[in-house]
Amino acid sequence: MAYPLAVTLLFFISPLLSLIFTIHGLFTSKKYSLWFGVIFAITVGLLVYSIVPGQETDLYRYYRYLDDISRYNFSDVISSIWSAGDPLSYSLMYIVSHFLSNNFVPFVVALIDYSILFYIIFDYRKQFIHKQDWRTRLCILFTISTFIVFNSLMGLRFSVGTLVFLLALYLDTVRKEKWVSKILYISSIFFHSSMLLMAVLRVGVWFFHKRSILFYALALVTGSISSLLLVFSEQLSAIPFLSHFGRRAADYLVFNIPSGFVYPFNLLTCVLLLVVIFLMRQKKQGSSIIVKLNIATILIAFANFYQFVIASRFTTISKYLFILVLLEFLADSRNEKLTRNNLIAIILLGIVILGNLCFQFIAFSGVELMWDFPEVLYKNVIQLLVVR
């Protein structure tokens, strides 16, 4: 109890200084791991709270939109949110902005995203791994490294939608909570309309559960034919809350390969993850819904490598799905000796983790932050309490 208390006190003095001790607690403590997860999420939330978004970022556009609708009456706000697409995302942003301020929007999203990720890891550990060993630590490290904070929390809608879908998939396939998972599947589409494609893949896995090769082939072919995707998205425009999806389809399907090494490394990451899947999976895991979905999303990312937006979406989804795949693999191998294939897989995961940790620092290197953000936050909280 002394260590968690000391870290908590240090957090109130300096959130950034406490971060390394919080991560140490995540790795070493089973009893208080959830508490350390909360502190970690709040610390990251404080970081993104302090971001001064550039005019070219989605976050800046969200702030401008929230400032605009703050002057509307309630009925106009509802109308604007539903016409903008992704109504649950914009509703969440509006509620947080209305009762707190714009800066709290990425803060709250960080809490939601990391709460989902840590819940999945710790709940899976409780059911199948039962102890805080190297398997759990590897999953935590992979999660922290591959969830690129700056990119994910600047594009709020996609990160929340993807992680709500991930939670739905976990409850569906692991916890067997069918009704709750169905509600969350639907909710993920309302958070970000691109999750409709993931829902279609989820149905495809069920429909072709005994024909895996056919499922992969269909996912690869249909996901790589831009004209089919464009026609499909245009049809969705007739549905009010999916109209945004249809309007943006033309932008998504533009031929575009960005310069730099970040995008190629994301594709390389998916190549390495695909190799790890084939190295670590056992015969009974060949029929796993999670593994099939992960392979399908990686194949679609490869097929659309010349279309940056689509490929980037699916590389991100692939990394999040791999968290569930990794948990499944490690839980099934808990009583096995470390084989050559598993050792190679762990080395490849080490490359992925190190590379993505570097990107975490690169992403933040060009971001303007309020370096006195703890003081700014406390001042804003006091003002809110006094006003309300």
Side-chain angles (χ1 to χ4, degrees):
M1 184 61 186
Y3 186 77
L5 181 59
V7 173
T8 303
L9 292 174
L10 182 59
F11 166 79
F12 283 107
I13 298 171
S14 173
L16 285 179
L17 186 60
S18 70
L19 187 58
I20 187 169
F21 299 101
T22 302
I23 295 174
H24 176 266
L26 277 171
F27 288 159
T28 58
S29 173
K30 179 180 178 181
K31 184 176 180 180
Y32 298 103
S33 55
L34 191 57
W35 176 243
F36 285 116
V38 171
I39 296 178
F40 181 86
I42 294 175
T43 303
V44 174
L46 292 176
L47 276 173
V48 293
Y49 171 95
S50 70
I51 289 176
V52 180
Q55 295 185 8
E56 74 286 354
T57 63
D58 286 341
L59 189 59
Y60 179 83
R61 181 168 57 84
Y62 296 149
Y63 285 177
R64 290 288 301 272
Y65 174 76
L66 292 171
D67 288 338
D68 289 340
I69 65 173
S70 66
R71 296 185 290 270
Y72 297 175
N73 59 49
F74 185 71
S75 60
D76 289 339
V77 168
I78 298 299
S79 175
S80 176
I81 286 175
W82 278 85
S83 62
D86 305 330
L88 284 185
S89 287
Y90 283 107
S91 296
L92 173 64
M93 286 187 252
Y94 173 74
I95 292 170
V96 174
S97 175
H98 180 73
F99 288 101
L100 297 171
S101 70
N102 287 351
N103 292 79
F104 278 96
V105 172
F107 176 85
V108 171
V109 170
L111 294 184
I112 294 172
D113 288 354
Y114 279 107
S115 294
I116 291 174
L117 290 169
F118 288 136
Y119 164 75
I120 290 173
I121 293 173
F122 297 143
D123 186 69
Y124 202 97
R125 178 196 63 191
K126 180 180 178 181
Q127 292 192 67
F128 300 103
I129 301 177
H130 306 302
K131 57 183 178 180
Q132 187 82 348
D133 63 0
W134 67 271
R135 297 168 179 82
T136 307
R137 295 182 189 120
L138 181 60
C139 290
I140 293 172
L141 185 58
F142 180 84
T143 300
I144 291 175
S145 66
T146 56
F147 186 81
I148 307 299
V149 175
F150 176 74
N151 293 344
S152 299
L153 297 179
M154 293 291 271
L156 308 174
R157 297 174 297 122
F158 181 71
S159 70
V160 175
T162 303
L163 289 173
V164 169
F165 180 88
L166 190 73
L167 178 60
L169 183 64
Y170 176 76
L171 295 177
D172 176 18
T173 58
V174 178
R175 301 278 301 190
K176 308 301 181 183
E177 297 179 12
K178 299 299 182 181
W179 282 107
V180 177
S181 63
K182 288 176 182 177
I183 293 172
L184 289 175
Y185 280 134
I186 296 171
S187 298
S188 70
I189 299 171
F190 282 80
F191 275 110
H192 198 276
S193 49
S194 65
M195 289 302 105
L196 181 63
L197 297 176
M198 292 305 301
V200 171
L201 286 176
R202 174 64 185 90
V203 173
V205 171
W206 171 78
F207 191 77
F208 296 102
H209 66 283
K210 293 184 179 180
R211 300 178 180 86
S212 298
I213 300 300
L214 181 58
F215 168 69
Y216 297 142
L218 288 173
L220 184 61
V221 171
T222 56
S224 62
I225 301 177
S226 300
S227 58
L228 287 180
L229 291 174
L230 185 58
V231 170
F232 176 65
S233 60
E234 287 174 347
Q235 296 300 315
L236 294 177
S237 297
I239 305 174
F241 67 88
L242 294 177
S243 59
H244 178 74
F245 183 81
R247 291 195 301 268
R248 292 295 302 275
D251 296 333
Y252 286 174
L253 298 173
V254 171
F255 180 91
N256 179 24
I257 300 178
S259 59
F261 63 92
V262 174
Y263 179 57
F265 184 81
N266 283 335
L267 292 176
L268 175 61
T269 295
C270 285
V271 173
L272 296 178
L273 294 183
L274 190 60
V275 173
V276 170
I277 288 173
F278 284 105
L279 285 173
M280 295 188 71
R281 75 172 183 172
Q282 302 171 12
K283 185 175 181 180
K284 66 177 181 178
Q285 292 164 338
S287 59
S288 167
I289 292 172
I290 298 170
V291 172
K292 288 180 180 179
L293 271 179
N294 203 178
I295 294 175
T297 54
I298 292 173
L299 293 176
I300 293 174
F302 292 160
N304 290 279
F305 74 93
Y306 55 91
Q307 293 166 331
F308 167 70
V309 177
I310 293 179
S312 295
R313 299 286 194 207
F314 277 95
T315 55
T316 301
I317 294 170
S318 299
K319 289 190 288 186
Y320 295 164
L321 285 174
F322 187 78
I323 296 171
L324 295 181
V325 172
L326 187 59
L327 285 168
E328 184 177 296
F329 287 167
L330 295 177
D332 286 344
S333 64
R334 63 185 182 276
N335 296 321
E336 294 181 358
K337 293 181 179 179
L338 189 64
T339 64
R340 185 180 65 177
N341 283 355
N342 288 346
L343 182 60
I344 295 173
I346 291 173
I347 293 172
L348 294 179
L349 282 177
I351 295 172
V352 171
I353 289 169
L354 287 175
N356 281 279
L357 283 175
C358 290
F359 288 155
Q360 294 278 22
F361 293 104
I362 291 172
F364 267 107
S365 63
V367 177
E368 182 181 354
L369 296 173
M370 299 179 291
W371 288 110
D372 57 343
F373 70 88
E375 291 77 10
V376 173
L377 174 68
Y378 301 148
K379 179 181 178 181
N380 287 349
V381 170
I382 292 172
Q383 288 178 342
L384 286 168
L385 292 175
V386 172
V387 170
R388 298 182 186 280

